Amino acid sequence: MSNESGPAYGERVEPGPDDVCYRHPGVRSFALCQRCGRTICGDCQVVSPVGVLCPECTKEMRAPATQRAARSTRVAGRRIAAMDAPVTYGVMILCGVIFTAQWLSATFGGNEVTAALWYAPLYSMPGVFEPWRMLTVMFTHSPSFIFHILFNLYALWLFGRNLEQTIGRGAFAVLYVFAGIGGSLGVMMWAYADPQSLVAPTVGASGAIFGVLAATLVTMRAARVNITSLAVLIAINFAIGFIPGAAISWQAHLGGMVVGAVTMWVLLATRGPRRRKQRVAGLVGLGALLVLASGAYFVVAPAANFIG
């Protein structure tokens, strides 16, 4: 055993450059605030049940609940901003919450939640006009078929995150909403060919999901990446909607794909910081077209005398 004398375990031979009070740089100290970790001298230390605190942390601890809540909100906001794909995760969480409410309503009630959020072309008719359903439907799923939401969430997690990281959060949010509306428009326009579908309700984020897939395909094509595998995947899933008895709205899939692809084309054609105004104008113009299309029944109603 060595006989050399020295400091006890945990002590320093001499104070380091950071061992000074952050409020009094000329005063040496080894005490740290238990909340923020800053060095504080004896005059600045405030004894608390959790140890010594600095004056600022003490002030924050004594602040009204509203101020503490605001600080917590800012912290949560920074954490969300640090996520790689917050819009994708947000949509997934929202779909999960709504699905839970749908299931509870269907199991213990009269399926009121699903009925309040689904979309049928009838809701685009004058006198029954409820256009918000074209948006709410993209966050709903069949409460009696768990694989419906599982497949959509998996597809969103698989493709949505990458696309969001590629084009940005704002652009991805716009694309998702536009594609979802496109899915509703696909269902709506089909009523011109089949008036019986006016009263057929649809649920599901599939239209928006197919829009994400189509947008990914356009992005890969523009980057000259082999798109064969993705194109086959899209084709197979689209074809499933034509299986008799499948109860899958291929119309929503088609509408979502078309609008998703067009939205992605606009984003690619106006990419770059110098074309920001053109990008905004293009998206606003496309959004206006979707809004106008959603009011098509006010101009020409399919089978106006149809009674379900």
Side-chain angles (χ1 to χ4, degrees), residues 178 218 259-271 275 278-286:
F178 279 11
V218 173
V259 175
V262 172
T263 304
M264 193 67 244
W265 178 83
V266 171
L267 292 172
L268 290 176
T270 57
R271 55 187 168 183
R275 309 193 69 180
Q278 292 91 327
R279 169 178 285 200
V280 173
L283 293 177
V284 170
L286 180 56

Side-chain angles (χ1 to χ4, degrees), residues 12 14-21 25 27-32 39:
R12 296 176 180 171
E14 292 184 2
D18 296 328
D19 296 325
V20 294
C21 179
V27 180
R28 298 286 186 179
S29 177
F30 294 104
L32 303 178
T39 304

Side-chain angles (χ1 to χ4, degrees), residues 99-276:
F99 177 80
T100 301
Q102 288 182 260
W103 183 84
L104 290 173
S105 174
T107 304
F108 303 104
N111 206 31
E112 297 86 356
V113 174
T114 302
L117 300 177
W118 66 24
Y119 173 75
L122 180 67
Y123 293 113
S124 294
M125 293 284 287
V128 200
F129 197 53
E130 296 183 6
W132 58 86
R133 290 178 178 270
M134 301 182 82
L135 291 171
T136 58
V137 67
M138 71 180 73
F139 301 106
T140 61
H141 293 85
S142 172
S144 61
F145 188 53
I146 186 66
F147 290 103
H148 185 201
I149 185 173
L150 290 181
F151 172 80
N152 281 342
L153 293 187
Y154 177 69
L156 190 59
W157 179 81
L158 195 62
F159 296 98
R161 293 180 307 151
N162 292 331
L163 186 60
E164 181 177 349
Q165 292 168 18
T166 301
I167 66 177
R169 300 166 184 174
F172 179 79
V174 171
L175 186 145
Y176 186 86
V177 172
F178 279 11
I181 295 175
S184 297
L185 286 174
V187 174
M188 173 185 166
M189 294 304 173
W190 179 249
Y192 283 115
D194 180 16
Q196 295 290 333
S197 67
L198 272 172
V199 295
T202 58
V203 294
S206 301
I209 300 298
F210 268 81
V212 171
L213 294 177
T216 302
L217 191 71
V218 173
T219 303
M220 293 173 62
R221 185 73 178 85
R224 298 183 179 180
V225 177
N226 192 317
I227 62 173
T228 303
S229 297
L230 180 57
V232 171
L233 176 65
I234 294 175
I236 292 175
N237 283 278
F238 182 70
I240 292 175
F242 293 93
I243 297 177
I248 297 175
S249 178
W250 61 265
Q251 299 90 342
H253 295 174
L254 179 60
M257 280 195 297
V258 171
V259 175
V262 172
T263 304
M264 193 67 244
W265 178 83
V266 171
L267 292 172
L268 290 176
T270 57
R271 55 187 168 183
R274 296 183 179 181
R275 309 193 69 180
R276 178 179 175 81

Side-chain angles (χ1 to χ4, degrees), residues 22-146:
Y22 79 98
R23 301 180 76 221
H24 304 100
V27 180
R28 298 286 186 179
S29 177
F30 294 104
L32 303 178
C33 172
Q34 297 300 305
R35 193 162 182 261
C36 68
R38 292 180 290 191
T39 304
I40 48 178
C41 65
D43 293 336
C44 296
Q45 297 174 16
V46 179
V47 180
S48 74
V50 297
V52 294
L53 300 176
C54 67
E56 279 75 12
C57 288
T58 302
K59 184 178 180 180
E60 289 183 7
M61 293 290 288
R62 294 174 180 173
T66 53
Q67 295 182 17
R68 293 198 298 270
R71 182 178 182 276
S72 298
T73 302
R74 291 194 298 270
V75 172
R78 287 194 293 269
R79 290 177 178 174
I80 292 175
M83 296 172 64
D84 59 343
V87 177
T88 300
Y89 296 139
V91 171
M92 294 175 67
I93 292 172
L94 181 58
C95 287
V97 170
I98 291 178
F99 177 80
T100 301
Q102 288 182 260
W103 183 84
L104 290 173
S105 174
T107 304
F108 303 104
N111 206 31
E112 297 86 356
V113 174
T114 302
L117 300 177
W118 66 24
Y119 173 75
L122 180 67
Y123 293 113
S124 294
M125 293 284 287
V128 200
F129 197 53
E130 296 183 6
W132 58 86
R133 290 178 178 270
M134 301 182 82
L135 291 171
T136 58
V137 67
M138 71 180 73
F139 301 106
T140 61
H141 293 85
S142 172
S144 61
F145 188 53
I146 186 66

